[in-house]
Amino acid sequence: MANITKKVSWSSRADESGATGEGTPLLNGSEQPRHSRQLSEGRSIFQIGRLSTVDLEEEITSDEDSLRGRPKEIPHNEKLLSLKFESLDYDNIENQLFLEEERRMSYMGFRCLEISRWVVCGLIGFLTGLIACFIDIVVEELAGIKYQVVKQNIEKFTEAGGLSISLILWAVFNSAFVMVGAIIVAYFEPIAAGSGIPQIKCYLNGIKIPRVVRLKTLVVKVCGVICSVVGGLAVGKEGPMIHSGAVVAAGVSQGRSTSLKRDFKIFEYFRRDTEKRDFVSAGAAAGVSAAFGAPVGGVLFSLEEGASFWNQMLTWRIFFASMISTFTLNFFLSIYHNKPGDLSSPGLINFGRFESDSVAYNLYEIPLFIAMGAIGGILGALFNVLNYWLTIFRIRYVHRPCLQVMEAMLVAAVTATVSFTMIYFSNDCQPLGPEHNEEYPLQLFCADGEYNSMATAFFNTPERSVRSLFHNQPGSYNPLTLGLFTLTYFFLACWTYGLAVSAGVFIPSLLIGAAWGRLFGILLASITSNATIWADPGKYALIGAAAQLGGIVRMTLSLTVIMVEATGNVTYGLPIMLVLMTAKIVGDYFVEGLYDIHIKLQSVPFLHWEAPATSHWLTAREVMSSPVTCLNRIEKVGTIVDVLSNTSTNHNGFPVVVQVAGSDEPAKLCGLILRSQLIVLLKHKVFVELARSRLNQRKLQLKDFRDAYPRFPPIQSIHVSQDERECMMDLTEFMNPTPYTVPQETSLPRVFKLFRALGLRHLVVVDDQNRVIGLVTRKDLARYHLGKHGLEELQLAHT
Amino acid sequence: MANITKKVSWSSRADESGATGEGTPLLNGSEQPRHSRQLSEGRSIFQIGRLSTVDLEEEITSDEDSLRGRPKEIPHNEKLLSLKFESLDYDNIENQLFLEEERRMSYMGFRCLEISRWVVCGLIGFLTGLIACFIDIVVEELAGIKYQVVKQNIEKFTEAGGLSISLILWAVFNSAFVMVGAIIVAYFEPIAAGSGIPQIKCYLNGIKIPRVVRLKTLVVKVCGVICSVVGGLAVGKEGPMIHSGAVVAAGVSQGRSTSLKRDFKIFEYFRRDTEKRDFVSAGAAAGVSAAFGAPVGGVLFSLEEGASFWNQMLTWRIFFASMISTFTLNFFLSIYHNKPGDLSSPGLINFGRFESDSVAYNLYEIPLFIAMGAIGGILGALFNVLNYWLTIFRIRYVHRPCLQVMEAMLVAAVTATVSFTMIYFSNDCQPLGPEHNEEYPLQLFCADGEYNSMATAFFNTPERSVRSLFHNQPGSYNPLTLGLFTLTYFFLACWTYGLAVSAGVFIPSLLIGAAWGRLFGILLASITSNATIWADPGKYALIGAAAQLGGIVRMTLSLTVIMVEATGNVTYGLPIMLVLMTAKIVGDYFVEGLYDIHIKLQSVPFLHWEAPATSHWLTAREVMSSPVTCLNRIEKVGTIVDVLSNTSTNHNGFPVVVQVAGSDEPAKLCGLILRSQLIVLLKHKVFVELARSRLNQRKLQLKDFRDAYPRFPPIQSIHVSQDERECMMDLTEFMNPTPYTVPQETSLPRVFKLFRALGLRHLVVVDDQNRVIGLVTRKDLARYHLGKHGLEELQLAHT
């Protein structure tokens, strides 16, 4: 069961803590006051949640009696919010230890820290570039071998007859590669499936997605993406670069690796959520930069997805990482291509050179571009809806690793078959020019000196196909070829996204868009019968590609910049902007973006930029969780252990209160302490024998907390003897003495703004006497969203 | 005196409120507790502050006896922080009225608001583009006439002798234009002087700079910039576009104009600091976009300078404004240039087309680029230091409008003379090619069919000179010409910046850099004697331009993008980044950026991104102003009037406290109310006869506050009778019931982060009983900065 949880959903926390069997209940004991809201369907929600990740094998029945009568078909409901995701804490815990350390540090110390931040960013960029380079070269080589072999085979059998053997060869090749890719993903690291962009989006939003930034994930991701691209699936290798960059960043900045079990004892200062999240932003940017040769686009991607608070120096560092990344890739690729020092192909995908003369656009073309944006929006929405249904289907029926591998292999075989069929029945022969750019021109049934035009689109890596569509001479494709290609590739790409392979959706989207865009351009030329004006269908291919991609992923500013940088020509800035804007508006009318759909299907408590517009009537009092378990500043060890072990309330933050001795005044808030801190304290047995004595047995350092970061042991692993339970613990030094608070009348948008702008994890709600009356966490805010019928409330569940 | 204040310093608040004579003392009554800190040199600071803006005429003596013995030479001290600047409030005042309005509003209402935000942004972009277009065309026409006349004159006298007449003609032309430009600036709207970028930076940082976004300022700015560019000064018309865009934004979004005294009764919802500041960001971005044809650069400029909180929708709207702006400019210019619909010159400055082939760079050139970046940093620092001294000199001696006009005319005449002399003595003759691009080729003493090369740099608008340096054939300039040009133009530009004319420093910086960059390229070619590798000095001109500009203004990400977009070729992204980074690092070693220097000289309480690194030992208790004047929730009108009229404490925000009736508990914080709100309440006489009665005479609407925004009348203008003084005012509905608070132990960086991230104006410091013990405002935070000897504290003064 635990094993399966990993496979279907992003989170494998149950797997890590080993406490799958227990129903980890609501954060913060909110069952009582909000019973009707959260647990009115408690039992059924619980079942839904669990069942969606259930294996159908026998082993489960041992500990899950209550679930026996489960239906074979599992209902899925995206109107849930999972409780298993924890938040990152972007707010520094400014406790006494931290402040003492900061105060001890000289100005030079801060300078050194700043320099090491730059060094880390440089390393992140360098390593990300290297990884991109590695992927590119391996894919190039393997795909070269595959296509050469298949090409020779086809050529052999074209004359001899029996092309079905070629088809089988091709399909077997594809399936074999995809099988390897799917096996490592499905069996070893399911989180490495897909492009990883939704996961990184969530991470940057402040949600801890388990295992997402592990070294093991990176290795699986890299191998997986090579296999799936070489396996001829309708995928790209660009999306996974973003995830890879993020993993590199998390690893380098922490100076150690759990997968390798090594701690290099460097960069220990950066071992906290704030710093780590900043570096992961840089890594994601470096990934985008390496993928598309778009350093500015990378920075904007990181900011658009992640930034709570825009900081000039941070941005500049992120930019540096991006720059180094694209430079490294460029440099090593130039060596690989035997043109050392020629720095003109900065990304994995290169749209090729758009010469300014041939591609200048005119005012009257702008409405056409906008129309294309609308088409892109509609097609994108269609893509997303189909993929949504498919994903639901997969969650219900295809959650066993072996099924997932088989599905991936099936898709690979079908892709090869469809491609082959299309090429086979295509009679679009084009003359092979003297300086033809086709890598693997297939002659097939064409006359000598000609090649099959359909094959340039299908019998090629997707990157090359995109480039051909952008740059081939007018007349290289006939409209029927393009139409058929668009149609088949659309469905193939839609089917492919969500398979248990590492792969991105950027390139397939671009390819679909480029195909119909080019078709659009050709049709224009034929309708107006004035071929000179609409001379270059490549221009329309570019616009179509932008429209389709925008319609699917719905990114805005960053995508514009990425496209412009990949094109290498700012002339297209304005049309691309218009097209992306239109595609987004039109697409949003129907359905959300692809990444958002997948995030929602995982019930992640994702915080958008602003609270829903009509939520002013809600106040902190209504939103917060209460009652809150509070601790005294000097608390009995037994109480702490009991609170932490209480499996019915897995709180992560506890307000610390102080009661004035001998007075009957209510206890005042005086700090906030985290579960992770308490665990470290318990582990190091920082107890005082008598409540009054303030002498700790051992002075605990910040280093002890940093060493434990980020995987604190569960409370069950800490043994506390009966004698020790009677000791006291003084939390004064360790708690954050100045947590952010809001009065209970604060409106939801105001709470939301504070929470989001500072990237908080816990926000204490106090009354006018400074007594704790509630706690607001991410789930309390993410719960409200604007549905079709006004403000809706998602239900919390243990999906 | 009041008149003069306007002239030398940015702020003319004294002028507006008419209360110059009184020494408006420290905000928030902080004299007592921090006497030693702020007022130890109170008297002398006060004098310094006042004197630096003092006129030397007689009128002053009437009300300023204490200042009689003032020295003729006024010492200036930038280690001061002026108290006369107010903050913008980026935090919404969520009082009952506001919440009621928001709650009444339906989802459709919010959609309509969102749509009108887009409409406003579209209008901002459109108008900004139109203004840019107007400036460009008028400058083009006038400069054309000027250069034609002078050219004919020179040609006439070259053969006849007596070229001194041509010189005089040229100098008179220049001085006349500049005189007009300087007069309107110096006498009508001194805030329109310079590029306006420092002022906009401050505005976006959250500081209210009086008169900076008025329509009158815009008119003066536009006319001024035309005059100064046509007048042949070493200035550009790009910087002022940013200011113009901001004014347009402030005007359009508020739906009214003070200068025109018209209220169009539209967009009333946007009449508050939060919305206005967002729109001004959009306007600034639109300005950058129109100036450089760099829509993405514009967005990044706005964010880099202003964003407290990055919001995706806001960014996207800003981008829309930028896009519309560059499109409008492009479209109208294409009509003007008789190529309607040709959208290929999107900005005021166009770097021309860099063809990818000729300008590809190689790995071994990167160290050279970095070296050029370092040179740019050093030269930029030199420029800034010289300009700093000059500015100090100007503050001391050149503060009368007539002197300022005379200085501007002098500079204009000297510029003409120097240019003429350089051209006259230059013997750099170049053959006039068949397709020469020179607009006004001067033959002078060259042979027939040749032209004077020095004249292409000097006898031209600066934009054209930059383009020539980038693109003219190798060999178009000889090294001596470039060296002399760099030298003279450097000093001319340095002298010019800070004159009382509207003008930008971007183009002169680019020109200086392009000149020495090209020289660098030529020298490289001659040293290595391998002309083919270093074939194109234009490439080095571009890098030099970037280095010089970066060294002067020290912008980072946004400048990179602006340069890349202006070049129209992303190939140069990486070298430009490296160069800007190097220039910034090297330059920052010596002195701050030009804009920061000017901001500091105005003693503006500018908040940087983060608190100084070594400020963790300071807490809110030490930073805050105290004691604080608090009001009761139901307060006597007389008390309020007295508090507001108390000229010794011009507080702007007052915590509202409530005392539980009949108990001796201390008063608890229950809200925060602003001076502006109290004034509106007093003006509308919202009193209750008896303290207990809760019936207001008239229900006040949010509209009443919006109508008064942003220029609330001074308290002196409101008449409150003796009877009314005895009435009570109930503040419950109007105060912000949930102000942000921090405990007194909060460290300065934490306070800073909260303040900066949310763009606050007041932050209440409370103790653990929720009693008010202090108030943190912008000045309290801006006061601390990292000097050479660790943390330093600026002194507050009434400069």
Side-chain angles (χ1 to χ4, degrees), chain B residues 145-267:
Chain B
I145 294 169
K146 186 187 92 173
Y147 284 119
Q148 281 303 341
V149 171
V150 175
K151 182 171 183 279
Q152 281 162 15
N153 191 283
I154 289 178
E155 277 163 3
K156 197 171 94 192
F157 284 105
T158 308
E159 292 176 20
L163 271 174
S164 53
I165 294 171
S166 305
L167 167 60
I168 291 168
L169 177 75
W170 190 1
V172 167
F173 252 125
N174 279 8
S175 301
F177 277 116
V178 170
M179 187 182 72
V180 176
I183 284 176
I184 54 175
V185 168
Y187 283 94
F188 294 100
E189 196 55 280
I191 196 85
S195 70
I197 295 180
Q199 285 90 335
I200 296 304
K201 255 184 103 151
C202 289
Y203 190 93
L204 294 180
N205 192 260
I207 302 155
K208 205 179 274 177
I209 309 281
R211 312 176 67 82
V212 80
V213 289
R214 291 264 185 100
L215 183 62
K216 187 176 160 197
T217 312
L218 176 64
V219 172
V220 170
K221 191 115 214 167
V222 168
C223 300
V225 78
I226 290 172
C227 291
S228 45
V229 174
V230 175
L233 291 178
V235 297
K237 55 191 187 294
E238 281 68 20
M241 273 317 299
I242 299 167
H243 191 168
S244 305
V247 180
V248 168
V252 171
S253 68
Q254 304 297 297
R256 67 177 165 196
S257 158
T258 319
S259 306
L260 292 182
K261 298 194 175 47
R262 287 216 38 189
D263 187 340
F264 296 95
K265 307 270 178 205
I266 46 171
F267 306 136

Side-chain angles (χ1 to χ4, degrees), chain A residues 90-92 94 98-99 102-103 107 110 118 295-296 299-300 303-304 308-312 315-316 319-320 323 327 331 341-343 353 355-357 361-363 366 556-557 560-561 565 568 570 574 577-578 581 609-610 613-614 616-617 665 668 736 738-740 743 745-747 750 753-754 756-758 768-770 786, chain B residues 90-92 94 98-99 102-103 107 110 118 295-296 299-300 303-304 308-312 315-316 319-320 323 327 331 341-343 353 355-357 361-363 366 556-557 560-561 565 568 570 574 577-578 581 609-610 613-614 616-617 665 668 736 738-740 743 745-747 750 753-754 756-758 768-770 786:
Chain A
Y90 199 64
D91 183 41
N92 281 330
E94 292 207 339
F98 177 81
L99 285 175
E102 297 279 305
R103 282 165 196 169
Y107 179 59
F110 284 104
W118 281 90
V296 179
V299 173
L300 289 175
L303 291 171
E304 203 170 280
S308 281
F309 179 60
W310 164 286
N311 180 316
Q312 197 177 23
T315 317
W316 196 219
F319 194 30
F320 180 68
M323 188 177 90
F327 179 77
F331 179 67
D342 173 30
L343 305 177
R353 187 180 303 153
E355 288 305 340
S356 308
D357 284 328
Y361 59 92
N362 233 310
L363 189 64
I366 289 200
T556 55
L557 182 56
T560 311
V561 177
E565 286 190 290
V570 287
L574 180 71
M577 279 177 233
L578 282 175
M581 202 180 259
W609 291 100
E610 278 173 340
T614 55
H616 270 98
W617 55 272
E665 267 188 47
K668 309 282 188 193
N736 176 0
T738 53
Y740 293 110
E745 303 85 28
T746 317
S747 71
R750 202 171 167 82
K753 197 177 166 198
L754 179 67
R756 184 75 168 84
L758 298 176
D768 63 353
Q769 309 265 353
N770 206 27
L786 214 52
Chain B
Y90 198 64
D91 184 42
N92 282 330
E94 292 207 341
F98 178 81
L99 285 175
E102 298 279 306
R103 284 165 195 169
Y107 179 59
F110 283 103
W118 281 91
V296 178
V299 174
L300 289 175
L303 289 171
E304 204 170 279
S308 280
F309 179 60
W310 164 286
N311 181 316
Q312 197 178 21
T315 316
W316 195 220
F319 193 29
F320 180 68
M323 188 176 90
F327 179 78
F331 178 67
D342 173 29
L343 306 177
R353 188 180 303 154
E355 287 305 340
S356 308
D357 285 327
Y361 60 93
N362 233 308
L363 189 64
I366 290 200
T556 56
L557 183 56
T560 311
V561 177
E565 286 190 292
V570 288
L574 181 71
M577 280 177 231
L578 282 175
M581 203 180 259
W609 290 100
E610 279 172 340
T614 55
H616 271 97
W617 54 270
E665 269 188 47
K668 310 283 189 192
N736 176 0
T738 53
Y740 293 111
E745 303 84 27
T746 316
S747 71
R750 203 172 167 80
K753 198 176 165 198
L754 179 66
R756 182 76 167 83
L758 298 177
D768 62 354
Q769 310 266 353
N770 207 26
L786 215 51

Side-chain angles (χ1 to χ4, degrees), chain A residues 360-397:
Chain A
Y361 59 92
N362 233 310
L363 189 64
Y364 51 80
E365 292 182 87
I366 289 200
L368 291 173
F369 294 155
I370 291 177
M372 288 179 79
I375 296 174
I378 293 168
L379 287 180
L382 181 65
F383 187 99
N384 293 359
V385 168
L386 291 178
N387 193 268
Y388 170 75
W389 288 339
L390 189 64
T391 308
I392 297 273
F393 177 85
R394 282 193 180 124
I395 288 175
R396 288 185 192 162
Y397 302 106

